[in-house]
Amino acid sequence: MTAFYGTEIASPLMLGTAQYPSPAVLAEAFRRSGAGVATVSLRREAAGGGGAGFWDLIRGLGIPVLPNTAGCHSVREAVTTAHMAREIFGTDWIKLEVIGHEDTLQPDPFGLVEAARILCNDGFRVFPYTTEDGILGGRLLEAGCEVLMPWGAPIGTGLGLNNVYGLRTLRAQFPDVPMVIDAGLGRPSHAAQAMEMGFDAVLLNTAVARAGDPAAMAEGFARALEAGRLAHSADPMEPRDMAAPSTPMLGLAVLE
Amino acid sequence: MKITVNGTPADIAATDLGAALEELGYGKARVATAVNETFVPAAARAAQALSEGDRLEILAPKQGG
């Protein structure tokens, strides 16, 4: 199992905690999938609000927590949010999002690198939500990141791996860097594809939480991830254009 | 003193962040704070003076992806 900043996770499934029909369904999805990481956020709290109940639920999962800076559009917002998250969740892990466009939720590459450098220098262990761009990936590594989290497709779309060539190139460019496909996955087959390509984990939320049966879908993703990982380690055959018979021709009866 | 708490106007008597959280009803709640877009650690709240017009953000653990 790949280690992220020295921590091995029990499963390559990093699962979000938003949009579930109920806390009970959320807990069941985590239980059935055996997810290795739970992603969380920080939001405004009214006096006497219910944040404590959610935190107790997450702590009860017994797995590492990865807070995010979701919704932050500027470096300052993201850095301040990261500091607040570090205090409240008691972890220096941060899923760094610096959003560049409201409709596509595409990362702002310039702000992302700047925020990553600030946070890495301040002792954070940064998981940057990035694109498949290899130059950007290199800049993030130079800034101190030891993990890259390229998107599969825009957040919440469920489109799968939109740019397979770009992702394959990024994987090949930095073969020793732990990489997580973050966002855009809709079906377990997308997760299996990512693992077959040599990615180390996936991070998803909507595909599970918005399924008709979130717990069953979470388990489906977990099984697909395992299948994909096994396939990658088994050195898959190369595809070819022309047919090749699998049944030996030797000994074929002559019947005409 | 008039300040803004999570985007909503508030009128408080407290003059520091620690006292303001008590006055606003957060007590021992698990929250993180920022004043005027700058993070204020829990240990520094009592020493963080508040001024008229300050913008206070009080955040708590929530669901996220």
Side-chain angles (χ1 to χ4, degrees):
Chain A
M1 180 63 72
T2 303
F4 298 91
Y5 291 104
T7 298
E8 286 195 5
I9 59 175
S11 157
L13 178 58
M14 298 182 174
L15 190 55
T17 56
Q19 306 184 81
Y20 291 84
S22 71
V25 173
L26 183 160
E28 181 65 5
F30 274 82
R31 189 192 67 76
R32 279 184 62 175
S33 66
V37 169
T39 61
V40 293
S41 74
L42 282 178
R43 286 293 181 265
R44 285 173 167 174
E45 176 78 329
F54 173 70
W55 177 233
D56 289 342
L57 171 64
I58 297 306
R59 275 197 308 182
L61 298 175
I63 56 177
V65 170
L66 178 59
N68 68 31
T69 63
C72 292
H73 287 252
S74 71
V75 172
R76 184 172 187 187
E77 275 181 297
V79 169
T80 300
T81 302
H83 279 277
M84 297 174 87
R86 180 161 67 177
E87 179 179 84
I88 210 160
F89 291 110
T91 177
D92 51 15
W93 282 16
I94 191 74
K95 176 189 167 184
L96 180 60
E97 294 185 30
V98 181
I99 300 299
H101 192 278
E102 197 67 57
D103 293 329
T104 63
L105 300 181
Q106 182 170 353
D108 169 358
F110 310 101
L112 182 64
V113 171
E114 185 181 345
R117 183 173 292 113
I118 292 168
L119 292 172
C120 288
N121 287 341
D122 203 14
F124 283 88
R125 294 166 188 266
V126 177
F127 293 68
Y129 164 62
T130 182
T131 69
E132 65 275 26
D133 188 304
I135 305 302
L136 172 56
R139 294 285 189 271
L140 289 166
L141 297 174
E142 288 171 7
C145 297
E146 296 178 16
V147 174
L148 295 177
M149 299 214 300
W151 62 353
I155 295 170
T157 59
L159 291 171
L161 305 184
N162 256 2
N163 181 356
V164 170
Y165 166 76
L167 289 168
R168 192 164 55 231
T169 302
L170 183 72
R171 178 68 285 182
Q173 194 173 347
F174 305 107
D176 300 323
V177 175
M179 287 192 202
V180 183
I181 295 292
D182 176 14
L185 303 187
R187 307 289 170 93
S189 56
H190 300 153
Q193 183 185 14
M195 297 301 283
E196 287 173 8
M197 291 170 64
F199 288 94
D200 301 288
V202 302
L203 195 163
L204 56 94
N205 190 156
T206 308
V208 165
R210 290 299 196 200
D213 184 341
M217 186 61 81
E219 183 178 342
F221 269 101
R223 293 188 185 193
L225 286 162
E226 184 59 24
R229 182 163 60 183
L230 278 170
H232 179 70
S233 66
D235 188 16
M237 66 169 281
E238 290 300 321
R240 50 184 289 165
D241 290 329
M242 298 305 292
S246 52
T247 302
M249 296 303 290
L250 186 66
L252 179 67
V254 178
L255 300 173
E256 64 174 336
Chain B
M1 172 165 57
K2 289 182 169 46
I3 63 171
T4 303
V5 179
N6 287 346
T8 302
D11 200 344
I12 61 170
T15 56
D16 69 75
L17 179 55
L21 288 176
E22 288 288 341
E23 182 180 340
L24 291 165
Y26 288 91
K28 302 293 183 192
R30 188 180 189 86
V31 293
T33 52
V35 175
N36 299 333
E37 296 82 46
T38 299
F39 170 57
V40 181
R45 287 173 189 161
Q48 175 68 46
L50 294 178
S51 304
E52 186 85 14
D54 277 351
R55 299 174 300 281
L56 175 55
E57 290 286 337
I58 305 171
L59 307 185
K62 298 288 179 184
Q63 296 82 353

Coordinates of all heavy atoms in Angstrom, one line a residue, chain A residues 25-56:
Chain A
V25 N -26.5 6.8 7.0 CA -26.1 6.3 5.7 C -24.6 6.6 5.5 O -23.9 5.7 4.9 CB -26.9 7.0 4.6 CG1 -26.4 6.6 3.2 CG2 -28.4 6.5 4.8
L26 N -24.1 7.7 5.9 CA -22.7 8.1 5.8 C -21.9 7.0 6.5 O -20.9 6.5 5.9 CB -22.4 9.4 6.4 CG -21.0 10.0 6.3 CD1 -21.1 11.6 6.5 CD2 -20.1 9.5 7.3
A27 N -22.2 6.7 7.7 CA -21.4 5.8 8.5 C -21.5 4.4 7.8 O -20.4 3.7 7.8 CB -22.0 5.7 9.9
E28 N -22.6 4.0 7.3 CA -22.7 2.7 6.7 C -21.9 2.6 5.4 O -21.2 1.6 5.1 CB -24.2 2.4 6.3 CG -24.4 1.0 5.7 CD -24.1 -0.2 6.6 OE1 -23.7 0.0 7.7 OE2 -24.1 -1.3 6.1
A29 N -21.8 3.7 4.6 CA -21.0 3.8 3.4 C -19.5 3.6 3.8 O -18.8 2.9 3.1 CB -21.2 5.1 2.7
F30 N -19.1 4.2 4.8 CA -17.7 4.1 5.3 C -17.4 2.6 5.8 O -16.4 2.1 5.5 CB -17.3 5.1 6.3 CG -16.9 6.4 5.8 CD1 -17.8 7.4 5.4 CD2 -15.6 6.7 5.6 CE1 -17.4 8.6 4.8 CE2 -15.1 7.9 5.1 CZ -16.1 8.8 4.7
R31 N -18.4 2.1 6.5 CA -18.2 0.7 7.0 C -18.1 -0.3 5.9 O -17.2 -1.1 5.9 CB -19.3 0.4 8.0 CG -19.1 -0.9 8.8 CD -20.4 -1.4 9.4 NE -21.4 -1.8 8.5 CZ -21.4 -2.9 7.8 NH1 -20.4 -3.8 8.0 NH2 -22.4 -3.3 7.0
R32 N -19.0 -0.2 5.0 CA -19.0 -1.2 3.9 C -17.8 -1.1 2.9 O -17.4 -2.1 2.3 CB -20.3 -1.2 3.1 CG -21.4 -1.9 3.9 CD -22.7 -2.0 3.1 NE -22.6 -2.7 1.8 CZ -23.7 -2.9 1.1 NH1 -24.9 -2.5 1.4 NH2 -23.6 -3.6 -0.1
S33 N -17.4 0.1 2.8 CA -16.3 0.3 1.8 C -14.9 0.1 2.4 O -13.9 -0.1 1.7 CB -16.4 1.7 1.2 OG -16.1 2.7 2.2
G34 N -14.8 0.3 3.7 CA -13.5 0.3 4.4 C -12.6 1.4 3.9 O -11.4 1.3 3.9
A35 N -13.2 2.5 3.6 CA -12.5 3.7 3.1 C -11.3 4.0 4.0 O -11.4 3.9 5.3 CB -13.4 4.9 3.0
G36 N -10.2 4.5 3.4 CA -9.0 4.7 4.2 C -8.8 6.1 4.7 O -8.0 6.3 5.6
V37 N -9.5 7.0 4.2 CA -9.4 8.4 4.6 C -10.8 9.1 4.5 O -11.6 8.7 3.5 CB -8.4 9.2 3.7 CG1 -8.5 10.7 3.9 CG2 -7.0 8.7 3.9
A38 N -11.1 10.0 5.4 CA -12.4 10.7 5.3 C -12.1 12.2 5.1 O -11.3 12.8 5.8 CB -13.2 10.6 6.6
T39 N -12.7 12.8 4.0 CA -12.4 14.2 3.8 C -13.5 15.0 4.5 O -14.7 14.6 4.5 CB -12.4 14.5 2.3 OG1 -13.6 14.2 1.7 CG2 -11.3 13.8 1.6
V40 N -13.1 16.2 5.0 CA -14.0 17.0 5.8 C -13.8 18.5 5.4 O -12.8 18.8 4.7 CB -13.8 16.8 7.3 CG1 -14.3 15.4 7.7 CG2 -12.4 17.0 7.7
S41 N -14.6 19.4 6.0 CA -14.4 20.8 5.7 C -14.7 21.6 6.9 O -15.0 21.0 8.0 CB -15.3 21.2 4.5 OG -16.6 21.3 5.0
L42 N -14.5 22.9 6.8 CA -14.9 23.8 7.8 C -15.9 24.8 7.3 O -15.8 25.3 6.2 CB -13.7 24.7 8.3 CG -12.6 24.0 9.2 CD1 -11.5 25.1 9.4 CD2 -13.2 23.6 10.5
R43 N -17.0 25.0 8.0 CA -17.9 26.0 7.6 C -18.4 26.8 8.8 O -18.2 26.4 10.0 CB -19.2 25.3 7.0 CG -18.9 24.8 5.6 CD -18.6 25.9 4.6 NE -18.3 25.4 3.2 CZ -17.1 25.2 2.7 NH1 -16.0 25.4 3.5 NH2 -17.0 24.9 1.4
R44 N -19.1 27.9 8.5 CA -19.6 28.8 9.6 C -20.5 28.0 10.6 O -21.3 27.2 10.1 CB -20.4 30.0 9.0 CG -19.5 31.0 8.4 CD -20.3 32.1 7.7 NE -19.4 33.2 7.3 CZ -19.9 34.3 6.6 NH1 -21.1 34.3 6.1 NH2 -19.1 35.3 6.3
E45 N -20.3 28.3 11.8 CA -21.1 27.7 12.9 C -21.9 28.7 13.7 O -21.4 29.7 14.1 CB -20.1 27.0 13.8 CG -20.7 26.3 15.0 CD -21.3 24.9 14.7 OE1 -21.8 24.8 13.5 OE2 -21.4 24.1 15.5
A46 N -23.2 28.4 13.8 CA -24.0 29.2 14.6 C -23.8 28.8 16.1 O -23.4 27.7 16.4 CB -25.5 29.0 14.2
A47 N -24.1 29.7 17.0 CA -23.9 29.4 18.4 C -24.8 28.3 18.7 O -26.0 28.2 18.3 CB -24.3 30.7 19.2
G48 N -24.3 27.3 19.4 CA -25.1 26.1 19.8 C -25.3 25.2 18.6 O -26.2 24.3 18.7
G49 N -24.5 25.3 17.5 CA -24.7 24.5 16.3 C -24.3 23.1 16.5 O -23.9 22.6 17.6
G50 N -24.5 22.3 15.4 CA -24.3 20.9 15.5 C -23.0 20.3 15.1 O -22.9 19.1 14.8
G51 N -22.0 21.1 15.0 CA -20.7 20.7 14.6 C -20.1 19.6 15.4 O -19.4 18.7 14.9
A52 N -20.4 19.6 16.7 CA -19.8 18.6 17.6 C -20.3 17.2 17.2 O -19.5 16.2 17.3 CB -20.2 18.9 19.0
G53 N -21.6 17.0 16.9 CA -22.1 15.7 16.5 C -21.4 15.2 15.3 O -21.1 14.0 15.2
F54 N -21.2 16.0 14.3 CA -20.5 15.5 13.1 C -19.1 15.1 13.4 O -18.6 14.1 12.9 CB -20.5 16.7 12.0 CG -19.7 16.3 10.8 CD1 -20.1 15.3 9.9 CD2 -18.5 16.9 10.6 CE1 -19.3 15.0 8.8 CE2 -17.7 16.6 9.5 CZ -18.1 15.7 8.6
W55 N -18.4 15.9 14.2 CA -17.0 15.6 14.6 C -16.9 14.3 15.3 O -16.1 13.5 15.1 CB -16.4 16.7 15.4 CG -15.0 16.5 15.8 CD1 -14.6 16.6 17.1 CD2 -13.9 16.1 15.0 NE1 -13.2 16.3 17.2 CE2 -12.8 16.0 15.9 CE3 -13.7 15.9 13.7 CZ2 -11.5 15.7 15.4 CZ3 -12.5 15.5 13.2 CH2 -11.4 15.4 14.1
D56 N -17.9 14.0 16.2 CA -17.9 12.7 16.9 C -18.1 11.6 16.0 O -17.5 10.5 16.1 CB -19.0 12.7 18.0 CG -18.7 13.7 19.1 OD1 -17.5 14.0 19.3 OD2 -19.6 14.0 19.9

